Amino acid sequence: MSTTEDLATELVEIATTAAIQAGALLAEMAPRRLDLRAMASAKSSITDLVTAADIDSEAAVLEIVLGARPDDAIMAEEGSSRPGTSSVTWVIDPLDGTTNFVYGYGEFAVSIAAKVDDVVVAGVVHNPIAKETFAATLGGGATRNGQAMTPSDPSSLASSLVGTGFGYLSEARADQARILPYLVPAIRDIRRGGCASLDCCGVGAGRLDGYFEAGLKPWDFAAGLLVATEAGCGSRSLENFPGRSTTLVIASSDILDSLVNLLIECDAKGRLEGH
Ligand code: IPD
Ligand code: CA
């Protein structure tokens, strides 16, 4: 019987192998992204693409994960979810940043987290183009290519670079955008990276001072959130905000409270002034 720590170590090793393998497949397919764009079919809305690359990458991840641990449950973006008989559930985004991938613009990643009894204990986010692997275990710290990570140390919100993202449904996007006219003047600048898992890791690595996004799915953030918090960042989940969604906020601990308060204030102003 292994301890939780041993189990987390086993799971992060499997996740790393699977993410690197699936990432190599994506990197091979990336030059064909324009064909893939033509072939892409819409998922939840016309802006929500799914490609052959998403499907093939998911199959590659599952082959390794279930090859190593056949009794575990799977929750995966492209539909391979299934119950298991062990205490472990894998939360998989086989291609996070699909829109970036098909347009050849910006970054994409394979994101794999493992939960034990509903607690995320291991997470890996792998960017095959930059050859960067972010990994974390619960209580065991976070690494980027095997090296410890340090979040930024911003002196104020006004000097903070903040990432965000938008969902695929147009009503949800309107709610999300309402904040922006008030937020943008109050911070250094905003970034929309197009890959939530890498945005989370970016805060852990000090490339962003903060990140927030409403309406994320578990596979978008499970691994990246563990990487960021194990790197030393703070996080908050704001329920029913904006509208009926949940917003994940991750930031350098120095600015987490003030960023949360600013987001709530900006949303209230947006609603009042009809944006
Ligand atoms: C999307 C990306 C994007 C975020 C969206 C996600 P996908 O995931 O992470 O940055 O803003 O909310 O759905 O569709 O590329 O796997
Ligand atoms: Ca995703």
Side-chain angles (χ1 to χ4, degrees), residues 5-6 19 35 37-38 52 88 103 122 124 158 170 175 189 197 213 220 236 252 262:
E5 222 171 281
D6 291 339
D35 310 344
R37 181 161 148 195
V88 175
Y103 279 80
V124 171
S170 68
D175 274 345
D189 206 350
S197 58
E213 183 163 346
D220 295 319
R236 203 69 63 74
S252 170
L262 179 65

Side-chain angles (χ1 to χ4, degrees), residues 48 77 93 95-99 165-168 192 194-196 199 213 216 220:
D48 189 359
E77 178 164 21
D93 193 336
L95 169 45
D96 189 25
T98 304
T99 308
F166 306 99
Y168 289 111
R192 197 289 189 248
C195 178
D199 287 332
E213 183 163 346
L216 289 170
D220 295 319

